[in-house]
Amino acid sequence: MAVLNKIRQRSLFLILIIALALFSFVLADLFKNSDALTSKSQNIVATINGKDITREDFLQKVEIAQKRAGASATNTQVMNSVWEQEVRQAVMETQYEALGISIEKDQMRDLLKTAMATNPEFLNEAGMFDENKLNEFIANLKELSPQPGFIGGQPLTFADWVNYEKQLANNALNQNYFNLVKAGLTGTLAEGAIEHKLQGDKVDIKYVQVPFSSVADSTIKVSKSDISEYIKKHKKQFEVEASRDIRYVEFKEAATIEDENAIKEELTKLLNDREEYSEGLKANETIAGFSKTEDNERFVNSNSDIKFDSRFVFKSSLPTSVADSIFNLNEGEIYGPYKDNGYFKVSKVAAVKQIPDSAKVRHILIPFLGAQSASPDVAQSEAQAKATADSLLTVLKSNKSKFGDFVKEYSSDQGSIQNEGRYDWHPYNTMVPEFNDFEFEGKVGDLGVVKTIFGYHIIEIEGQKNKKRAVQVATIARKIEPSEATISKVFRDAANFERKAAENDFQEIATENKFTVRPVNGIKALDENIPGVGNQRPIVRWTFEEGVEVGAIKRFNMTDGYVIAQLVAKHKEGLQSVEDASAIAIPAIRKEKKAKIIRDRITVNTLEDLAAAENTTVRTASAVTMKSPTLAGAGREPIIVGAAFGLNEGETSQLIDGANGVYMIQVTKVTPAVELDNYQTYANQVEAQKVSVVTAKLYTALKEAAAIEDNRAKTQIQ
């Protein structure tokens, strides 16, 4: 009993202890869930109509797309492209699910049949599509997975094939959806009658326009409060993403005049003989200069940033600015130094010959294992391919009539097989070097075997045209680059500016040192280009990092120098600021204020009196329609034309604000559209107009209506 009494006496204390324990348990669970939520949000690139796009899935698709794009697109461009595809897919899937439409097995089979109908790998002996061959191909891919199979000489994995089928199905679903929407669009007879009236009802009017330009802009005062009110009334027009403003100074590692002169001096020294100590002879020896050397190839390759090119060229292939100077040299003569495409060069005419400017040939290509573009089924070794080519050449030398048959049976050059292996007239230096040399340096009728990167070619020269002078040019080129001293100075200048700008005013320090400051406004979180310095994604990322405050300065390394950037302003997502909206808002506000000034000063009620008061004339517009709301002499004025159709014949309007001024109009004649027995033709026009809008605007409308949460910047995938 004593124990029970003590418990009763301390019941309030016990309840408090239990409550605190429960509370701590709940708090712990909340923190645990909070971590889980944070982790989840970091892994979700976007949520579209409730569908999550994960970071892993998104980046995997980006990686595949980047491989396909190669160097033709930046990583950010590829990411943005994949993003648009993912958004479209998610938006459209919502529609497919709502309607319950899908691609079933039978339809998928038909889609594949249509897509592969002309693929030679899936045709039978009669040239017809063979579904069994396709099924066998897919089964083999699955068995080989994850190793690739080949189709048309290109590697393809089972996963690639699955993605291809998904793409086919998605395209079909998209087409089905659009067709369903179009099928639901009709033009009724009532709509046809309205369309007929819009086109056929006509009015003739007289009007006086008092243009807004009659009130000088300088007399109109637009305050910040005016702009703010205008923004509130037109919110959609001024909605913006979060953005940043920066300014920067670029420090470019570029060759100075002194650097260029030093490069030219080095090239000039190479022209003449020089004395050089020889370890082998233990004495000085004379090294022939470029002007006297007989081994031009070795000299160029030892002293030039661009290797020796043994090809002969016509004048048209030489740099335009120096073509005459080089082409007119005699063999052994030198021109330069001269500047060309980022290099200083000296050029020597090493040899001269007469070469046709075009040729016509036919050939048979015998590939070998490892040759470029050789298909996977090529099994011949290089030696075997050479033996095949030689044996065919032996036959052809005694019987050229077999050439066409050999092309069909042996050649792997798909581009020429249909033309009996022939390449009709083509210019010099069109083919790979070995092929080119044979066809242009040989004689018509020559037949021989030539090895190139593609395999062994049996070539017959069928024709040559227009022999003319060609030159072999030996060129020593030195890239125009900044010297170590220049690079060091650029680094010191950048570092000093960064240090001083962090302690003082950025603009003042730049002005004091005669550096150019470039402002860049409105940078978005997923942008990559900075005007003036190109793709600088790290700068964009920095401006949006947490903890980077306005006024912060940072140095960024570029391939050829540095950028010192300062964050000038942060703009939150929402409505534009008064300052940013001014460019659009002020002209519109001025127009409203001018309209009020014009209306307030006018007290007359007739067109003639208004014209006299405003020192203008009464103008006319005939056969005006609602379908084309344009007034002769005033331009497009839909509000004014609409008002005219609301007046009776002979009636004069009050003052009306239009797009280009304030108007008073009088309807002088009303011509109703001719009544028709049937409006089906116009109903068909309405239907065609509706259908044409679907392709252009349906997806855009669905996207605007979708709930899209874009977390790309938060998940730091860019």
Side-chain angles (χ1 to χ4, degrees):
M1 290 294 293
V3 173
L4 289 173
N5 284 332
K6 286 183 179 180
I7 290 174
R8 290 191 188 100
Q9 291 169 8
R10 301 190 180 185
S11 60
L12 182 61
F13 177 74
L14 286 170
I15 290 169
L16 183 60
I17 293 295
I18 293 168
L20 285 171
L22 288 170
F23 183 62
S24 65
F25 178 77
V26 172
L27 271 181
D29 193 49
L30 277 174
F31 281 119
K32 182 179 178 181
N33 287 338
S34 175
D35 290 341
L37 286 171
T38 302
S39 175
K40 180 187 176 186
S41 65
Q42 285 295 315
N43 193 45
I44 301 301
V45 172
T47 302
I48 303 165
N49 286 342
K51 295 178 182 291
D52 289 339
I53 298 175
T54 66
R55 177 189 177 92
E56 290 81 6
D57 183 54
F58 184 81
L59 290 179
Q60 184 180 21
K61 289 176 180 176
V62 168
E63 183 180 356
I64 293 170
Q66 186 72 73
K67 287 178 181 176
R68 288 175 183 163
S72 64
T74 66
N75 187 253
T76 302
Q77 288 171 333
V78 171
M79 283 189 173
N80 289 340
S81 175
V82 173
W83 166 257
E84 290 302 328
Q85 293 170 14
E86 290 294 287
V87 170
R88 185 181 184 102
Q89 179 71 14
V91 168
M92 296 308 299
E93 279 181 357
T94 305
Q95 301 301 312
Y96 306 152
E97 291 170 7
L99 293 176
I101 60 175
S102 61
I103 300 297
E104 300 302 324
K105 188 175 181 179
D106 289 346
Q107 189 177 358
M108 190 69 233
R109 188 183 299 115
D110 291 339
L111 290 171
L112 286 171
K113 183 177 179 180
T114 301
M116 299 294 170
T118 58
N119 192 307
E121 299 197 26
F122 306 121
L123 302 182
N124 60 23
E125 292 77 6
M128 304 295 290
F129 175 76
D130 189 334
E131 189 174 332
N132 291 328
K133 286 192 173 186
L134 176 61
N135 291 337
E136 183 181 347
F137 172 77
I138 297 171
N140 287 338
L141 275 185
K142 191 172 183 179
E143 188 176 338
L144 286 170
S145 183
Q147 297 302 315
F150 290 87
I151 183 169
Q154 298 301 313
L156 183 79
T157 66
F158 182 68
D160 293 332
W161 180 263
V162 171
N163 286 332
Y164 173 69
E165 287 193 357
K166 286 180 180 178
Q167 184 180 351
L168 268 183
N170 184 63
N171 291 343
L173 275 172
N174 189 74
Q175 189 62 51
N176 289 348
Y177 178 81
F178 273 68
N179 288 341
L180 284 170
V181 174
K182 290 176 182 178
L185 298 174
T186 59
T188 65
L189 291 175
E191 289 175 315
I194 293 172
E195 178 69 15
H196 174 61
K197 285 181 67 64
L198 290 174
Q199 295 181 32
D201 285 354
K202 296 181 176 64
V203 292
D204 297 347
I205 67 170
K206 294 194 297 184
Y207 71 91
V208 174
Q209 178 202 48
V210 183
F212 292 129
S213 59
S214 65
V215 180
D217 287 354
S218 59
T219 64
I220 306 298
K221 304 300 179 188
V222 179
S223 66
K224 287 188 175 181
S225 61
D226 290 333
I227 299 172
S228 182
E229 284 300 313
Y230 188 85
I231 294 171
K232 290 177 184 177
K233 289 179 183 177
H234 305 83
K235 286 184 178 179
K236 193 154 186 76
Q237 187 178 357
F238 295 100
E239 287 177 351
V240 292
E241 301 174 38
S243 66
R244 302 289 185 263
D245 298 343
I246 67 167
R247 55 185 173 182
Y248 72 88
V249 173
E250 181 184 9
F251 293 84
K252 197 161 189 175
E253 293 174 346
T256 63
I257 295 297
E258 291 76 12
D259 294 337
E260 292 192 2
N261 288 337
I263 295 170
K264 287 192 288 185
E265 187 177 340
E266 286 181 15
L267 284 174
T268 303
K269 287 180 180 178
L270 291 172
L271 302 180
N272 303 314
D273 297 349
R274 67 184 188 277
E275 293 292 321
E276 194 172 280
Y277 182 77
S278 170
E279 284 290 341
L281 298 174
K282 300 298 182 183
N284 287 340
E285 64 174 332
T286 301
I287 306 297
F290 190 42
S291 59
K292 293 184 179 178
T293 184
E294 295 181 359
D295 192 345
N296 292 300
E297 181 173 357
R298 182 180 178 187
F299 196 97
V300 168
N301 290 340
S302 299
N303 295 284
S304 176
D305 292 336
I306 300 175
K307 296 302 180 184
F308 178 78
D309 186 350
S310 62
R311 287 193 172 193
F312 284 78
V313 296
F314 300 116
K315 180 180 175 181
S316 58
S317 298
L318 296 171
T320 306
S321 60
V322 295
D324 286 329
S325 300
I326 295 174
F327 193 74
N328 293 332
L329 295 174
N330 294 317
E331 188 171 324
E333 291 183 335
I334 292 175
Y335 176 78
Y338 62 93
K339 187 184 285 190
D340 175 51
N341 199 28
Y343 292 84
F344 274 116
K345 300 177 178 179
V346 287
S347 292
K348 175 183 180 181
V349 172
V352 178
K353 67 166 61 173
Q354 297 292 315
I355 292 178
D357 66 4
S358 58
K360 175 182 178 182
V361 298
R362 59 177 177 173
H363 82 130
I364 303 165
L365 173 58
I366 312 297
F368 52 80
L369 194 63
Q372 188 169 314
S373 299
S375 63
D377 58 353
V378 170
Q380 285 193 114
S381 66
E382 184 176 336
Q384 289 170 329
K386 175 69 163 61
T388 300
D390 287 341
S391 64
L392 293 178
L393 178 64
T394 301
V395 174
L396 291 171
K397 282 183 176 179
S398 60
N399 187 0
K400 289 186 179 180
S401 66
K402 290 185 175 292
F403 206 105
D405 293 333
F406 285 172
V407 167
K408 292 176 183 176
E409 186 173 353
Y410 295 100
S411 184
S412 68
D413 181 12
Q414 298 298 322
S416 67
I417 288 176
Q418 298 304 316
N419 197 25
E420 295 188 337
R422 185 170 286 106
Y423 280 103
D424 283 324
W425 296 106
H426 52 277
Y428 180 71
N429 276 344
T430 301
M431 303 298 193
V432 289
E434 301 86 356
F435 197 112
N436 180 83
D437 291 347
F438 182 87
E439 63 176 336
F440 282 93
E441 294 184 14
K443 302 185 297 295
V444 174
D446 281 358
L447 187 65
V449 172
V450 174
K451 179 188 172 186
T452 74
I453 57 174
F454 300 107
Y456 284 96
H457 305 256
I458 304 162
I459 306 173
E460 180 186 8
I461 304 173
E462 294 191 307
Q464 294 175 334
K465 285 183 185 177
N466 305 326
K467 279 196 173 185
K468 55 185 181 181
R469 185 178 192 260
V471 293
Q472 184 187 65
V473 181
T475 297
I476 302 174
R478 290 287 175 87
K479 190 171 179 59
I480 300 174
E481 294 178 315
S483 63
E484 288 298 324
T486 298
I487 292 172
S488 297
K489 182 180 184 303
V490 171
F491 175 79
R492 289 195 303 273
D493 289 345
N496 288 336
F497 176 76
E498 181 185 14
R499 177 176 52 80
K500 291 179 181 178
E503 300 168 354
N504 301 280
D505 183 84
F506 191 95
Q507 181 65 60
E508 285 183 6
I509 298 300
T511 302
E512 182 181 312
N513 289 277
K514 297 181 180 178
F515 298 144
T516 301
V517 176
R518 294 183 173 90
V520 182
N521 299 330
I523 299 171
K524 307 295 191 304
L526 298 174
D527 286 349
E528 64 174 347
N529 284 319
I530 301 294
V533 289
N535 187 346
Q536 290 295 323
R537 181 68 191 152
I539 298 178
V540 177
R541 275 201 297 263
W542 169 70
T543 66
F544 282 88
E545 286 177 4
E546 288 186 19
V548 177
E549 301 296 335
V550 171
I553 292 173
K554 187 172 180 178
R555 180 176 65 202
F556 295 89
N557 295 338
M558 300 191 303
T559 54
D560 56 354
Y562 310 92
V563 164
I564 312 298
Q566 182 179 50
L567 180 59
V568 174
K570 293 182 175 183
H571 304 286
K572 294 181 179 179
E573 180 182 6
L575 295 177
Q576 277 186 319
S577 66
V578 169
E579 290 75 17
D580 292 338
S582 295
I584 295 173
I586 288 177
I589 296 169
R590 278 195 187 129
K591 190 181 285 189
E592 291 177 356
K593 293 193 174 215
K594 286 181 178 184
K596 186 176 186 307
I597 289 172
I598 292 169
R599 278 188 269 102
D600 288 347
R601 77 188 183 201
I602 293 173
T603 57
V604 297
N605 297 312
T606 69
L607 271 66
E608 290 73 16
D609 290 344
L610 176 59
E614 292 294 330
N615 194 28
T616 186
T617 58
V618 178
R619 287 184 276 184
T620 62
S622 302
V624 178
T625 69
M626 288 283 281
K627 194 70 176 177
S628 180
T630 302
L631 298 180
R636 185 174 172 81
E637 287 288 1
I639 293 175
I640 306 306
V641 172
F645 276 92
L647 298 175
N648 296 318
E649 192 170 300
E651 190 176 356
T652 301
S653 73
Q654 299 296 314
L655 295 174
I656 309 167
D657 296 348
N660 304 304
V662 176
Y663 294 78
M664 182 182 288
I665 61 175
Q666 183 182 75
V667 175
T668 57
K669 183 181 178 182
V670 176
T671 307
V674 177
E675 294 289 334
L676 301 177
D677 293 332
N678 188 292
Y679 294 96
Q680 187 61 54
T681 300
Y682 290 92
N684 292 343
Q685 289 181 21
V686 172
E687 182 176 332
Q689 290 166 11
K690 289 180 180 179
V691 169
S692 68
V693 168
V694 170
T695 303
K697 297 185 178 180
L698 176 57
Y699 170 68
T700 302
L702 292 173
K703 183 180 176 182
E704 288 178 356
I708 300 175
E709 183 183 334
D710 185 354
N711 297 320
R712 283 178 293 170
K714 295 176 186 175
T715 52
Q716 298 180 344
I717 63 165
Q718 297 256 3

